[in-house]
């Protein structure tokens, strides 16, 4: 299967790889996994007092499409409010990266990682 | 298609794999294409289809994980092609740690240590799965199957690492 140029770019030069301290109150952590392929994705958002995402980091174990999907969303969420970030759809990710149908689940994983991170943040600040 | 029925087994997670192999060979002989060489096209096609079912069924029932998936599928819990996401932070954190540990493996001894650890975790999950399936706790069983898929993926990775270590020695 051939990867698109955008997937290869994100795979070879992943943006924002790393981690924040998950106990920091301004950090939201989303952990998700895809049973079908065993991919595991950790997405962390640094959220400012105004509720805007200031920074994002990820660590993903998985195929090129999973890494590219998580790398892409760390770029997309920066500067967005939580609500805006929550509205990112897997179809947007799949389209941007030109993912083939068998790799759609990678974009679903990335969308769910954003949702899981936001849930974590809300739980922390409930 | 109920593979348990195909091999004349009761629908149960417990299965004698030695007996499964025996019945597999018998069925294979019974429907071997050579025996239908002089039959009509329709019978030939039927035998071919049956052979393919027998092979798929054997592969599915042989391994406990795919057997469990098939059994849950018969109970209406479809797992094979699902694209859902697992959100169990504790389990996934552990997966991350195991993946990180895999990356540091550089010796055959470390491969063995990791293998022992993975086998133990798989055994624990298999025991849980067995209990859940027997108790008809299908949703919990489905989650345990999902977790086992992650564990199997780790084992595949470990095998890959082992192979590359062998190559470099």
């Amino acid at each position: 299967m051939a990867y698109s140029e955008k997937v290869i770019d994100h795979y070879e030069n992943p943006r924002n790889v790393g981690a924040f301290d998950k106990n920091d109150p301004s950090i939201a952590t989303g952990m998700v996994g895809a049973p079908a392929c065993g991919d595991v994705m950790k997405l962390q958002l640094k959220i400012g007092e105004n509720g805007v995402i200031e920074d994002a980091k990820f660590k993903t174990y998985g195929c090129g499409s999973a890494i590219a999907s998580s790398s892409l969303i760390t770029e997309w969420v920066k500067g967005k409010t939580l609500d805006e970030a929550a509205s990112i759809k897997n179809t947007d990710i799949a389209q941007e990266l030109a993912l083939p149908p068998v790799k759609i689940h990678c974009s679903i994983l990335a969308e769910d990682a954003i949702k899981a991170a936001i849930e974590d943040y809300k739980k922390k600040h409930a | 298609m109920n593979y348990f029925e195909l091999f004349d087994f009761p629908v149960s997670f417990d299965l004698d794999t030695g007996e499964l192999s025996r019945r597999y060979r018998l069925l294979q002989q019974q429907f071997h294409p050579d025996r239908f060489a002089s039959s009509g096209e329709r019978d030939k096609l039927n035998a071919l289809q049956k052979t393919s079912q027998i092979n798929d069924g054997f592969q599915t029932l042989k391994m406990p994980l795919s057997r469990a998936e098939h059994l849950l599928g018969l109970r209406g819990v479809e797992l094979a092609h699902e694209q859902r996401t697992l959100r169990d932070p504790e389990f996934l954190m552990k997966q991350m740690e195991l993946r990180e540990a895999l990356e540091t493996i550089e010796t055959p001894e470390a491969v063995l240590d990791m293998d022992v650890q993975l086998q133990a975790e798989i055994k624990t999950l298999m025991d849980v799965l067995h209990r859940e399936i027997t108790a008809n706790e299908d949703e919990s069983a489905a989650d345990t199957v999902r977790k086992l898929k992650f564990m199997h993926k780790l084992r595949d990775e470990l095998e890959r690492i082992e192979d590359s270590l062998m190559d470099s020695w």
Side-chain angles (χ1 to χ4, degrees):
Chain A
M1 184 195 59
Y3 282 121
S4 71
E5 265 176 47
K6 276 179 181 159
V7 169
I8 292 168
D9 177 37
H10 276 280
Y11 181 70
E12 289 181 346
N13 312 292
R15 323 317 191 239
N16 310 306
V17 174
F20 296 119
D21 174 10
K22 68 175 166 51
N23 298 316
D24 180 332
S26 70
I27 300 299
T29 303
M31 291 278 300
V32 289
C37 53
D39 291 358
V40 187
M41 191 179 284
K42 179 167 84 173
L43 173 71
Q44 292 190 300
L45 311 174
K46 184 175 171 52
I47 294 151
E49 279 173 15
N50 51 2
V52 171
I53 298 166
E54 292 174 349
D55 203 356
K57 288 201 185 297
F58 83 94
K59 181 149 195 182
T60 293
Y61 285 99
C63 65
S65 301
I67 290 167
S69 297
S70 26
S71 171
L72 176 70
I73 56 169
T74 58
E75 288 193 317
W76 275 3
V77 295
K78 277 190 213 178
K80 285 193 163 67
T81 64
L82 290 183
D83 283 345
E84 285 165 354
S87 70
I88 293 174
K89 292 273 164 292
N90 83 282
T91 44
D92 304 334
I93 301 164
Q95 195 177 9
E96 172 71 15
L97 296 173
L99 296 181
V102 292
K103 291 292 177 185
I104 296 300
H105 66 271
C106 298
S107 61
I108 295 175
L109 198 60
E111 178 191 324
D112 286 350
I114 301 174
K115 297 213 159 77
I118 292 172
E119 264 174 40
D120 178 61
Y121 187 76
K122 287 187 173 156
K123 223 182 273 172
K124 264 185 179 174
H125 294 266
Chain B
M1 180 85 225
N2 182 334
Y3 290 139
F4 293 96
E5 229 165 57
L6 181 66
F7 287 91
D8 199 22
F9 278 113
V11 179
S12 161
F13 189 43
D14 291 308
L15 187 138
D16 178 347
T17 48
E19 181 59 22
L20 173 69
S21 298
R22 200 184 65 84
R23 294 184 191 181
Y24 170 62
R25 283 192 300 272
L26 283 177
L27 280 172
Q28 259 192 330
Q29 282 166 14
Q30 197 182 332
F31 291 97
H32 197 280
D34 288 356
R35 298 180 60 133
F36 296 84
S38 55
S39 310
E41 282 308 309
R42 197 177 165 158
D43 286 347
K44 268 187 197 163
L45 204 65
N46 277 341
L48 207 62
Q49 211 169 20
K50 197 80 180 173
T51 305
S52 137
Q53 284 174 352
I54 292 162
N55 285 331
D56 289 348
F58 178 65
Q59 293 304 328
T60 304
L61 295 185
K62 193 172 60 170
M63 306 304 286
L65 186 56
S66 47
R67 190 190 311 147
E69 265 186 77
H70 181 57
L71 194 152
L72 289 169
L74 294 174
R75 290 183 186 172
V77 186
E78 212 50 69
L79 278 151
H81 304 292
E82 69 171 7
Q83 300 212 329
R84 69 180 268 174
T85 309
L86 184 80
R87 281 202 206 179
D88 181 331
E90 207 180 315
F91 176 80
L92 292 168
M93 203 59 92
K94 180 86 204 221
Q95 282 293 306
M96 280 265 171
E97 283 166 12
L98 287 168
R99 291 287 190 113
E100 278 160 15
L102 275 183
E103 283 187 337
T104 65
I105 287 180
E106 279 166 353
T107 63
E109 291 76 24
V111 169
L112 267 180
D113 286 348
M114 181 55 94
D115 192 43
V116 169
Q117 190 186 345
L118 292 183
Q119 296 299 347
E121 305 241 6
I122 288 174
K123 169 89 173 59
T124 306
L125 283 169
M126 274 296 173
D127 290 345
V128 171
L129 181 61
H130 186 274
R131 188 175 47 71
E132 287 165 342
I133 286 181
T134 312
N136 292 317
E137 291 166 2
D138 294 351
E139 282 309 317
S140 313
D143 256 340
T144 308
V145 166
R146 291 181 191 113
K147 289 179 181 173
L148 277 161
K149 286 188 173 185
F150 283 95
M151 298 308 298
H152 280 242
K153 176 81 178 180
L154 282 173
R155 218 182 41 191
D156 293 347
E157 285 286 317
L158 186 63
E159 267 174 33
R160 204 181 45 74
I161 292 167
E162 192 177 11
D163 287 347
S164 65
L165 280 178
M166 299 270 248
D167 288 346
S168 61
W169 273 47

